[in-house]
Amino acid sequence: MNLAEMTWPEIKARAPHTPVVVPVAAVEQHGHHLPVATDSMLLGEVVRRVEPRVNDRVLFTPLMWLGNSHHHMEYAGTLSASPRVYLELINDLIENLLTHGFRRIVFLNGHGGNITPYKQAIFEARQRHRTRRDILLLGASYWDFAKPATMRSDFVEDMVGHACEWETSMMLAIRPELVKEHRSLPDMDRGFWFEPAYRGWITQERAPNGADAPGHLGAPRHATAEKGEFLYQAYADGVVKYLDRVVAWDGSSWEVPH
């Protein structure tokens, strides 16, 4: 169900037991070859495939395209909410939905920069409502629900990255006319040289060319539309299975049936 297409009495009638999914993504640079709305478009396609499969059991809000993307601000076209502003946006959305009587809220994410603030917002909201035992506040990225690299051997990269083989493949599957020349692009190191510690970073620092970095990470030259279709199917299947668990939650316990 699409919240944006419903009247307020129809929405009110779905509370409290209908889970609400809030898709969150971003508008930010995606290298020389992908549009700035890539994250939002990819997540939107995952949602488009999931929604009819869960039918009237789950309510979807409109996709929130404004994300936490300050680490890309050196690149033109990036539109970003600063981390604390973004955290408050998520907090307010949680409070909106709780006020309307909903108890099961799932943030479905499509942008890596959103992960830390949405986790913090969910944590804060649970502390504000710590005496309640009837609410389920969740957040995960769509790529958390499948491990495509274990399902086939022709992926060069082993995980989703920024404007990488995987994201480029997914864009080729749905909007190939928006993908610029990618086959001649250089492979770019992901730049996690200080693991296991977490280092504060901006995008330009994670590429060996520094200020001249093209903006992508990984190896988009290996992307194909067929790989992209496979990724969509894997992620949509995984999200559907997870939402089945949210629907099955008994309303109070920590565990749910698998």
Side-chain angles (χ1 to χ4, degrees):
M1 294 179 291
N2 188 332
L3 179 143
E5 297 175 353
M6 300 168 66
T7 66
W8 75 261
E10 291 172 329
I11 295 168
K12 182 178 180 180
R14 304 306 308 185
H17 300 300
T18 304
V20 180
V21 174
V22 184
V24 293
V27 169
E28 62 181 26
Q29 74 84 19
H30 267 71
H32 291 179
H33 65 295
L34 294 181
V36 295
T38 291
D39 285 345
S40 292
M41 296 172 73
L42 301 188
L43 177 59
E45 179 64 15
V46 172
V47 169
R48 188 190 70 79
R49 294 172 182 235
V50 168
E51 186 177 357
R53 295 175 60 182
V54 295
N55 201 9
D56 63 350
R57 297 180 298 135
V58 178
L59 182 64
F60 290 83
T61 74
L63 184 147
M64 191 168 85
W65 61 263
L66 181 63
N68 172 37
S69 300
H70 267 43
H71 46 294
H72 292 289
M73 287 304 295
E74 285 75 17
Y75 298 87
T78 296
L79 304 177
S80 176
S82 62
R84 289 169 181 79
V85 170
Y86 187 76
L87 191 153
E88 290 305 317
L89 284 171
I90 300 299
N91 265 305
D92 279 351
L93 285 171
I94 293 171
E95 293 302 325
N96 292 167
L97 293 167
L98 291 176
T99 296
H100 298 319
F102 292 100
R103 298 175 183 171
R104 309 170 195 222
I105 302 169
V106 181
F107 285 88
L108 184 61
N109 177 51
H111 164 56
N114 294 341
I115 294 173
T116 296
Y118 81 63
K119 285 183 176 180
Q120 178 65 22
I122 290 171
F123 178 81
E124 291 181 6
R126 188 67 191 98
Q127 310 320 304
R128 288 195 303 272
H129 300 278
R130 63 184 309 113
T131 61
R132 295 186 61 173
R133 296 294 182 266
D134 63 339
I135 59 175
L136 186 64
L137 306 178
L138 300 166
S141 301
Y142 68 80
W143 54 82
D144 294 330
F145 297 109
K147 299 185 183 298
T150 66
M151 302 176 186
R152 53 189 288 173
S153 60
D154 60 341
F155 284 114
V156 173
E157 301 186 61
D158 60 0
M159 60 184 293
V160 68
H162 183 72
C164 63
E165 174 193 14
W166 293 26
E167 287 194 335
T168 304
S169 293
M170 294 172 76
M171 187 59 72
L172 284 169
I174 58 169
R175 296 295 303 273
E177 76 279 8
L178 296 181
V179 180
K180 306 300 190 291
E181 171 53 41
H182 63 285
R183 293 181 178 85
S184 60
L185 291 173
D187 295 354
M188 303 296 285
D189 194 300
R190 293 176 181 271
F192 290 114
W193 304 296
F194 289 89
E195 289 185 332
Y198 174 81
R199 179 191 181 187
W201 55 275
I202 61 173
T203 303
Q204 286 184 342
E205 291 179 324
R206 288 178 57 187
N209 292 332
D212 295 324
H216 71 272
L217 300 171
R221 64 191 178 93
H222 298 285
T224 68
E226 189 274 332
K227 289 179 181 177
E229 180 60 31
F230 178 85
L231 290 166
Y232 279 123
Q233 291 180 9
Y235 289 138
D237 288 346
V239 173
V240 168
K241 289 180 181 178
Y242 189 79
L243 292 179
D244 286 341
R245 292 175 58 194
V246 177
V247 171
W249 182 57
D250 67 10
S252 61
S253 70
W254 184 259
E255 297 296 333
V256 296
H258 292 273

